[in-house]
């Protein structure tokens, strides 16, 4: 079974910044061994499937039902030394950890699904009455009011505003034993990520107004503000690499193009904005088209 076609933006916070009992739970997860980012999509998919086929079906992963114990979600870990930093940004102390937050993410996704999906699809997908599902999901989301999930995900494509967060020059490519690219990612200090998002939001809002990319940037900036200032932010193509060959991945200039678009908007070079946007649309529309074929 292929890895889910999902891209991720993640925040890794210093373990010391978490309060008890979360800090101890994350330390235990680290002792068991961190999750490999390449395997995280399949792991999350497997955890969710087990909630649906168990003798006591659960609405969300990570929930205990009756005498059952919730599955161990695991944790991603990042070494501060692996995050490129400049003189104005620091990261750590380590280890930097990213909880998968599956229960909260699943609840938020279910709220969105119920609000957007057509009635026949909702009826086919939900295993409990719709009002029950909505009530339970909303209750879980309300528990997040004082915190934030550490992972944002996007299926079939990468939202172009996400590229603003990272430095295009810091791309990392990981290949497997056969030479096939299995991971494309960037890591950035939180201070740099916030600065880039704030600037891009100001520039795009003056050009495009409040909706579209400026809205995504505004929401992304608010999300980043909820984490420790010495955290790291990661953009990971995740399972999307399965839809592209090595040549396409190595030639991909999406991050460079998005940053160049922001610069061109600021300087009024509208022709360049249009040309680079067309190139980005052509590249990512081919990936997004897979959703219609699925």
């Amino acid at each position: 079974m292929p890895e889910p076609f999902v891209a991720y933006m993640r925040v890794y916070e210093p373990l010391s910044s978490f309060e008890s009992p979360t800090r101890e739970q994350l330390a235990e997860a680290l002792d068991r061994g961190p999750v490999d980012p390449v395997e995280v999509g399949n792991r999350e998919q497997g955890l969710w499937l087990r909630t649906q086929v168990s003798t006591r079906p659960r609405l969300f992963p990570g929930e205990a039902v009756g005498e059952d114990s919730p599955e161990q979600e695991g944790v991603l870990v990042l070494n501060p030394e692996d995050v490129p930093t400049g003189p104005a940004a620091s990261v750590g102390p380590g280890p930097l950890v990213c909880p998968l937050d599956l229960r909260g993410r699943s609840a938020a996704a279910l709220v969105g699904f119920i609000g957007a999906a057509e009635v026949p699809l909702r009826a086919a997908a939900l295993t409990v009455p719709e009002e029950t599902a909505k009530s339970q999901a909303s209750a879980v989301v309300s528990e997040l009011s004082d915190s934030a999930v550490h992972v944002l995900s996007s299926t079939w494509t990468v939202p172009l505003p996400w590229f603003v967060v990272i430095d295009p020059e810091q791309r990392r490519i990981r290949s497997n034993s056969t030479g096939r690219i299995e991971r494309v990612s960037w890591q950035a200090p939180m201070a740099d990520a916030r600065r880039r998002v704030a600037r891009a939001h100001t520039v795009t809002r003056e050009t495009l107004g409040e909706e579209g990319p400026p809205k995504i940037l505004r929401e992304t900036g608010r999300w980043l503000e909820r984490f420790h200032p010495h955290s790291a932010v990661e953009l990971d193509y995740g399972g999307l690499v399965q839809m592209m060959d090595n040549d396409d991945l190595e030639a991909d200039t999406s991050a460079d193009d998005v940053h160049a678009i922001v610069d061109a908007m600021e300087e009024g070079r509208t022709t360049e904005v249009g040309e680079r946007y067309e190139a980005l649309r052509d590249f990512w529309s081919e990936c997004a088209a897979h959703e219609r074929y699925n």
Side-chain angles (χ1 to χ4, degrees), residues 239-285:
L240 300 188
V241 298
Q242 301 168 108
M243 297 190 293
M244 309 175 219
D245 59 30
N246 281 13
D247 290 341
D248 287 338
L249 288 167
E250 290 171 350
D252 174 30
T253 60
S254 297
D256 300 271
D257 289 333
V258 169
H259 281 255
I261 284 174
V262 175
D263 291 341
M265 281 185 174
E266 189 173 44
E267 297 168 11
R269 292 182 273 115
T270 56
T271 300
E272 182 179 351
V273 171
E275 291 174 348
R276 288 187 180 268
Y277 176 74
E278 288 294 327
L280 283 165
R281 187 179 64 178
D282 291 344
F283 181 85
W284 286 105
S285 64

Side-chain angles (χ1 to χ4, degrees), residues 50-57 68:
R50 284 196 290 276
T51 68
Q52 305 305 301
V53 300
S54 63
T55 54
R56 295 180 178 87
D68 289 351

